[in-house]
Amino acid sequence: MFNFAVFLVILVVGLARFCINRSKLQQLAKHFPGPKPALLVGNLLQFPADIGGIFRRMVYYHEKFGPDIVTWGIGNTLKFNVSSTRNVEKVLMAKTVQKSLSYSFIEPWLGKGLLTSTGRKWFQRRKIITPTFHFTILEGFAEVFNRNADTLIDKLKVHEGGSEFDVYRYVSLYALDSICETAMGVQVHAQDDPENQYVRDVNRLSELFLLRIFSFLGMFPTLYWYLHPNAWEQRKLIRTLHQFTDNVIWKRREQLMNGPRNDEMDNTTSSKKKQTFLDLLLCMSVEGQSLSNEDIREEVDTFMFGGHDTTSSAISFTIMQLALHQDIQDKLYAEIVSILKGQNLKTTHLTFNNIQDFKYLDLIVKESLRLLPPISYVGRKLTEDTELNGATIPAGQDIFIPIYMVHRNPKIYPDPERFIPERFAENAENLRGPYDYIPFSIGSRNCIGQKYGMMQLKMTVVRLIANFRVLPSEATASVKLRTDLVLRPEYGIPIKIEARN
């Protein structure tokens, strides 16, 4: 009898706390529109089970309720999604910021690297890694991009004048070849292996991370998630990816200890331009201590993720837009002819310097990244109480910034679904604020590799358009999108190509 009474007291107290907490959250939620939640499970059951469906549902909610919305998770949890300029600035430009809880789900793969670390560790990593993206280092990567672009062009020639094909699959393999060589100094020849296991593993791992966010067990403590079938698959994939990176690190460390390879030598001495991201990490130290293998793997895996998936999407979506807008593609080709006049357009290798001369290309790329930003959302955890929409959101609350919706603000971008590169002409720049266009995020935790990504994106687009006229298929205009860690096509990007004269 006594035990039963104790149980009832605990139950009543628990329910009272639940109701009090829920009442407080409901007061906050009144300041943000959103779909009506069900008791206990919130809006979870309103989201489809597939990745693409989850993305489209969030877009639908923003279109229906506005730029700033709230959804309910399991129990008493709120998910704030803000895309209004004022609130984006408050969240991303706070004096101290942390990544949201969802980033912790990536830690089994990326560890506490630059993407997921906080505080002193993040500051130290950011400081020592920033110089690796200096333009003198990027200049050395141009040769890698050009050589791998040559292979990509050769692979695509089989489709000249033929039926539609998925360009995303080819670009993904090209990006993997480039990132492995620039980041780790190894050639994996992914373009000769259409069913590359690394690409498939990373894509599936990205899916599992998002599925965890929208899983009933996924948001519970680690012990519960550990039992989920997806968790078993995730651990297997991570072991495979870590083994790949560890093997490369050990191999590269031995090579550097034994001296530079013949192909890393120029006419006089070892070429600094051939240094890779991994080489620089192996030579770095923090407070007099060399980085451990685990430290190095964290950053290499982070760089591999950031430099492969995001670049694949950015290049592929830009090519898709050029296929859909032949007049814009013609203007770009005219710019290529003008800048590379006197050279063989199809084989000329580009440099870090001459790619800066393509001004219209710059407008095209910016507009493509506006419409289809590879990182379609970012999350932050408030470290202090913050006013949003008249409500005081307490410290510790996660806030999500849907960049995809930020870039579709009709007040900033009239007719926002149209592809109009001239939006980014110099005379139009003053129409936007710094928080209305954030494809690489903004603030202290913006993308450190954006110069690397933009360089590869621009060089690849020029090389492809110099060799092929890109044409749409019947399905190009209806490509469906999905987002896990990266915005990508749900079923590929179908296009056709013709050889240039």
Side-chain angles (χ1 to χ4, degrees), residues 264-328:
E264 294 177 317
M265 302 291 289
D266 59 21
N267 293 332
T268 55
T269 184
S270 64
S271 173
K272 187 175 182 179
K273 292 183 179 181
K274 290 290 183 69
Q275 276 194 309
T276 68
F277 181 68
L278 175 56
D279 294 345
L280 296 166
L281 290 176
L282 288 169
C283 298
M284 286 179 178
S285 61
V286 177
E287 298 178 347
Q289 296 292 322
S290 298
L291 298 179
S292 68
N293 271 16
E294 183 177 354
D295 291 333
I296 294 171
R297 187 183 69 196
E298 289 175 342
E299 302 305 345
V300 170
D301 281 340
T302 298
F303 193 55
M304 287 286 291
F305 159 67
H308 171 242
D309 271 11
T310 57
T311 304
S312 299
S313 289
I315 294 171
S316 300
F317 283 136
T318 303
I319 293 299
M320 181 186 78
Q321 296 292 356
L322 292 172
L324 292 170
H325 302 87
Q326 292 293 305
D327 56 330
I328 294 174

Side-chain angles (χ1 to χ4, degrees), residues 129-191:
I129 291 175
T130 295
T132 67
F133 294 98
H134 191 271
F135 76 91
T136 56
I137 301 296
L138 295 179
E139 283 179 340
F141 293 158
E143 185 271 332
V144 175
F145 296 152
N146 279 296
R147 177 162 34 80
N148 287 316
D150 288 339
T151 302
L152 173 62
I153 291 165
D154 287 340
K155 298 293 182 183
L156 293 180
K157 285 180 179 178
V158 68
H159 297 289
E160 288 180 345
S163 58
E164 69 177 43
F165 67 96
D166 176 18
V167 71
Y168 185 86
R169 180 169 64 91
Y170 284 91
V171 171
S172 182
L173 296 173
Y174 153 76
L176 180 59
D177 272 342
S178 297
I179 193 65
C180 282
E181 195 166 351
T182 56
M184 298 190 291
V186 297
Q187 297 182 7
V188 297
H189 303 292
Q191 295 184 84

Side-chain angles (χ1 to χ4, degrees), residues 263-452:
D263 63 344
E264 294 177 317
M265 302 291 289
D266 59 21
N267 293 332
T268 55
T269 184
S270 64
S271 173
K272 187 175 182 179
K273 292 183 179 181
K274 290 290 183 69
Q275 276 194 309
T276 68
F277 181 68
L278 175 56
D279 294 345
L280 296 166
L281 290 176
L282 288 169
C283 298
M284 286 179 178
S285 61
V286 177
E287 298 178 347
Q289 296 292 322
S290 298
L291 298 179
S292 68
N293 271 16
E294 183 177 354
D295 291 333
I296 294 171
R297 187 183 69 196
E298 289 175 342
E299 302 305 345
V300 170
D301 281 340
T302 298
F303 193 55
M304 287 286 291
F305 159 67
H308 171 242
D309 271 11
T310 57
T311 304
S312 299
S313 289
I315 294 171
S316 300
F317 283 136
T318 303
I319 293 299
M320 181 186 78
Q321 296 292 356
L322 292 172
L324 292 170
H325 302 87
Q326 292 293 305
D327 56 330
I328 294 174
Q329 185 179 163
D330 288 341
K331 289 180 67 174
L332 174 58
Y333 185 69
E335 181 176 67
I336 294 171
V337 172
S338 174
I339 292 175
L340 299 181
K341 57 187 176 184
Q343 304 177 59
N344 187 322
L345 300 185
K346 294 188 175 183
T347 60
T348 296
H349 279 196
L350 303 169
T351 67
F352 176 82
N353 288 326
N354 69 7
I355 202 65
Q356 313 305 320
D357 297 332
F358 291 82
K359 303 304 181 184
Y360 190 60
L361 170 66
D362 188 58
L363 305 186
I364 291 172
V365 167
K366 287 180 178 178
E367 176 69 346
S368 181
L369 293 176
R370 179 192 71 82
L371 265 178
L372 299 165
I375 301 298
S376 61
Y377 74 93
V378 293
R380 297 291 185 267
K381 177 184 291 186
L382 298 180
T383 57
E384 58 186 8
D385 293 353
T386 304
E387 183 275 323
L388 300 177
N389 290 1
T392 300
I393 311 300
Q397 174 66 50
D398 282 350
I399 307 291
F400 293 93
I401 311 291
I403 296 175
Y404 183 89
M405 299 309 302
V406 171
H407 290 178
R408 280 168 165 70
N409 184 346
K411 296 179 181 178
I412 305 299
Y413 304 103
D415 201 359
E417 295 296 332
R418 285 188 60 198
F419 185 76
I420 309 174
E422 286 73 18
R423 295 184 200 271
F424 291 90
E426 288 185 9
N427 58 359
E429 287 290 337
N430 59 355
L431 300 179
R432 291 183 306 277
Y435 310 101
D436 296 318
Y437 182 72
I438 51 173
F440 300 101
S441 190
I442 195 171
S444 60
R445 305 218 46 155
N446 67 342
C447 176
I448 194 173
Q450 58 183 282
K451 290 182 180 179
Y452 174 98

